[in-house]
Amino acid sequence: MKKKFSVVVAGGGSTFTPGIVLMLLANLERFPLRSIKFYDNDGARQEIVAEACKVILKEQAPEIEFGYTTDPKTAFSDVDFVMAHIRVGKYPMREKDEKIPLRHGVVGQETCGPGGIAYGMRSIGGVLEIVDYMEKYSPDAWMLNYSNPAAIVAEATRRLRPRSRILNICDMPIGIEGRMAQIVGLKSRKEMQVRYYGLNHFGWWTSIEDMKGNDLMPKIREHVAKHGYVPPTDEPGVEASWNDTFAKAKDVWALDPSTFPNTYLKYYLFPDYVVAHSNPEHTRANEVMEHREKHVFSSCAAITKAGKSSAGELEIDEHASYIVDLATAIAFNTQERMLLIVPNQGAINNFDPEAMVEIPCLVGSNGPEPLTVGKIPLFQQGLMSQQVAVEKLVVEAWIEKSYLKLWQAITLSKTVPSASVAKAILDDLLEANKDYWPELK
Ligand code: NAD
Ligand code: G6P
Ligand code: MN
């Protein structure tokens, strides 16, 4: 009989938690579970999600033990995997991350530019705390981390917890690969073999083949040149702002037509366009609070009230199956090839060996084995060097409590026009983040 695993979801009150639970339930055959626990530091928020998940689990898999708690010892004892997706400061702070830079005419985004830097300064402590709970109560466990900004969080764990069993991942590349698969008429991105390199939310595909080794790049190129990553048949339910991002990939692609870009590069390469198309009074955080958060929490409340899952409309999070692929690869030593955020250590040979890069790895019981990328072109190398310096300066600013390094980090971001604008943004962010950032000297 296959071993059964115990999982704790950290950030149990996340809007993504119900989707992850449904996805875990859909994958029990390949990733069998004996226990699911939720942990969050906001008990009231978590309870709404957890009570609904309790109803779902009772219907679909009553044999799985279920519990939720704000107590670290209860949460992190006897677990094999920590699946983490916390948002320190929650949506009200995301809203500030987005709106403060926009007030200064600069990109306001969850993970990119000054907003992402502010979020990083909040996340580092929260994520380290979870790593430490895991190591204290379940020292053999693995932490699979979705918590953003993943680039900064990954650099912080590289610097401060180099031996910890934490793997940082992102669902953007697989989301884009799903669209590429649709473009070439394949059922799934798993029917493609890709090469990709970069930083998190900052990378490029250099090769896409089918399983017979046929090059799929020309057909994808023809489509992307006209429509970006908007697939031939529109997916229902894609929000307008995301659709714009997928369409804009056409312009981002034009800068290096021999590759395909991550959609997040638009914030660095077309910041003027992004600012001109932003509403400083109503940003993505507002959209998410008005749509996803409202929908998830009202569905959960309805399910709990009725005592049956059919009373709500919770959707399985297909993207999150990536996290099951990763857990399965570790649990059963599958050696699956996956994109992970790992120390470069020569994989990109003309790039900082101490940078955290997003590249293909083979994953087994002892973790990831990165594949070689080789030499990258000057355009990408230049952009990545600048961006990785930003990420490292943020982590150094957090460690040293240094105002100066944070000012340097914001100044160095390609989204920011000058040191004076950087300082003005920093001073506003500092005021807004008083309760979350270390006190800067
Ligand atoms: P959310 O605000 O709905 O949920 C986050 C939860 O984390 C909240 O319930 C909050 O109370 C909890 N939390 C905050 N600080 C905590 C701490 N120190 N300890 C324990 N719990 C804490 O947010 P969401 O939109 O559902 O997103 C969750 C996270 O997942 C975010 O970081 C988001 O950026 C990230 N995410 C990442 C990817 C990726 O590609 N890596 C994809 C999707 C979402
Ligand atoms: C993608 C990215 C995540 C990011 C999310 C934002 O999935 O990979 O890192 O957090 O988009 O989505 P949202 O709907 O919250 O704006
Ligand atoms: Mn991501």
Side-chain angles (χ1 to χ4, degrees):
M1 214 178 74
K2 263 190 172 172
K3 184 179 170 190
K4 291 188 173 184
F5 296 92
S6 168
V7 166
V8 59
V9 178
S14 155
T15 56
F16 293 106
T17 297
I20 290 209
V21 168
L22 290 171
M23 186 273 309
L24 287 171
L25 288 173
N27 284 277
L28 284 175
E29 225 157 272
R30 64 186 182 121
F31 186 59
L33 293 172
R34 63 184 165 87
S35 161
I36 299 178
K37 288 187 272 189
F38 292 176
Y39 167 76
D40 203 291
N41 64 0
D42 180 340
R45 183 181 174 93
Q46 170 168 261
E47 184 177 1
I48 301 168
V49 175
E51 283 298 322
C53 290
K54 194 196 262 179
V55 171
I56 296 170
L57 280 158
K58 209 165 156 197
E59 280 176 12
Q60 292 196 29
E63 70 285 2
I64 298 175
E65 224 178 282
F66 176 69
Y68 61 96
T69 178
T70 55
D71 172 46
K73 184 169 186 222
T74 312
F76 292 88
S77 297
D78 182 35
V79 298
D80 302 301
F81 290 96
V82 177
M83 296 183 176
H85 53 198
I86 64 167
R87 183 187 292 285
V88 178
K90 293 175 273 195
Y91 292 126
M93 287 310 294
R94 174 175 179 176
E95 185 179 3
K96 291 186 182 176
D97 293 343
E98 293 169 351
K99 290 186 176 173
I100 289 171
L102 277 174
R103 286 213 297 262
H104 298 271
V106 168
V107 169
Q109 214 279 325
E110 180 196 21
T111 64
C112 304
I117 291 171
Y119 185 15
M121 290 289 286
R122 293 197 302 277
S123 277
I124 294 172
V127 170
L128 291 179
E129 190 176 75
I130 287 173
V131 176
D132 293 344
Y133 290 145
M134 174 179 89
E135 300 203 322
K136 181 165 179 196
Y137 298 114
S138 286
D140 295 328
W142 283 87
M143 176 161 158
L144 314 182
N145 184 53
Y146 261 127
S147 312
N148 265 323
I152 291 169
V153 166
E155 169 61 11
T157 54
R158 183 190 75 82
R159 278 288 298 270
L160 299 167
R161 299 291 185 278
R163 282 175 215 296
S164 295
R165 302 222 270 184
I166 169 170
L167 291 174
N168 297 290
I169 55 174
C170 173
D171 65 6
M172 197 70 245
I174 60 162
I176 296 170
E177 284 170 23
R179 288 163 177 268
M180 290 175 174
Q182 269 178 273
I183 290 166
V184 295
L186 293 174
K187 275 204 289 301
S188 149
R189 66 173 185 90
K190 295 204 174 186
E191 294 170 40
M192 309 187 315
Q193 184 87 281
V194 309
R195 293 213 188 105
Y196 178 97
Y197 72 85
L199 312 170
N200 177 240
H201 290 183
F202 206 98
W204 294 264
W205 283 266
T206 55
S207 156
I208 298 158
E209 295 178 347
D210 67 15
M211 289 319 199
K212 291 187 186 130
N214 296 310
D215 185 5
L216 302 175
M217 301 278 277
K219 191 157 179 204
I220 300 172
R221 208 171 278 134
E222 220 174 279
H223 184 93
V224 171
K226 290 198 203 101
H227 313 288
Y229 296 131
V230 177
T233 44
D234 243 4
E235 273 180 289
V238 177
E239 289 161 294
S241 53
W242 269 109
N243 212 56
D244 290 349
T245 293
F246 289 121
K248 187 68 184 169
K250 165 185 160 192
D251 297 332
V252 183
W253 164 79
L255 274 140
D256 179 2
S258 68
T259 62
F260 293 113
N262 192 300
T263 41
Y264 277 93
L265 286 161
K266 85 166 182 182
Y267 297 108
Y268 302 95
L269 299 173
F270 294 94
D272 48 351
Y273 165 91
V274 169
V275 171
H277 288 80
S278 298
N279 177 353
E281 306 302 326
H282 193 267
T283 57
R284 179 65 192 155
N286 300 109
E287 286 182 16
V288 174
M289 287 187 273
E290 286 154 17
H291 301 137
R292 185 171 70 234
E293 188 184 40
K294 217 176 232 160
H295 172 76
V296 167
F297 280 80
S298 62
S299 281
C300 285
I303 289 171
T304 305
K305 186 156 176 249
K308 52 177 198 261
S309 64
S310 56
E313 292 168 359
L314 295 175
E315 279 156 33
I316 181 163
D317 186 352
E318 295 288 1
H319 280 184
S321 68
Y322 198 58
I323 212 166
V324 166
D325 292 344
L326 182 56
T328 309
I330 293 169
F332 300 108
N333 198 29
T334 64
Q335 301 296 323
E336 179 159 344
R337 181 169 162 158
M338 307 184 73
L339 290 183
L340 300 176
I341 304 162
V342 294
N344 182 31
Q345 289 172 343
I348 303 171
N349 70 16
N350 55 339
F351 196 63
D352 180 357
E354 298 200 317
M356 292 301 279
V357 293
E358 197 165 289
I359 53 175
C361 302
L362 302 179
V363 188
S365 300
N366 297 316
E369 184 181 335
L371 299 176
T372 301
V373 174
K375 191 173 173 208
I376 61 172
L378 197 51
F379 177 61
Q380 279 84 359
Q381 190 207 30
L383 285 169
M384 282 168 60
S385 297
Q386 180 178 10
Q387 178 60 18
V388 89
V390 172
E391 291 159 7
K392 288 186 171 194
L393 281 166
V394 174
V395 173
E396 288 185 5
W398 188 88
I399 294 171
E400 297 165 22
K401 304 185 172 39
S402 166
Y403 178 95
L404 187 64
K405 286 202 168 166
L406 204 54
W407 182 24
Q408 291 175 348
I410 297 175
T411 302
L412 195 56
S413 173
K414 205 170 153 32
T415 59
V416 176
S418 79
S420 52
V421 173
K423 193 164 198 306
I425 295 174
L426 171 56
D427 289 339
D428 285 358
L429 288 172
L430 192 63
E431 178 62 28
N433 282 277
K434 275 199 304 261
D435 298 341
Y436 298 97
W437 288 3
E439 202 178 326
L440 303 182
K441 299 187 280 247

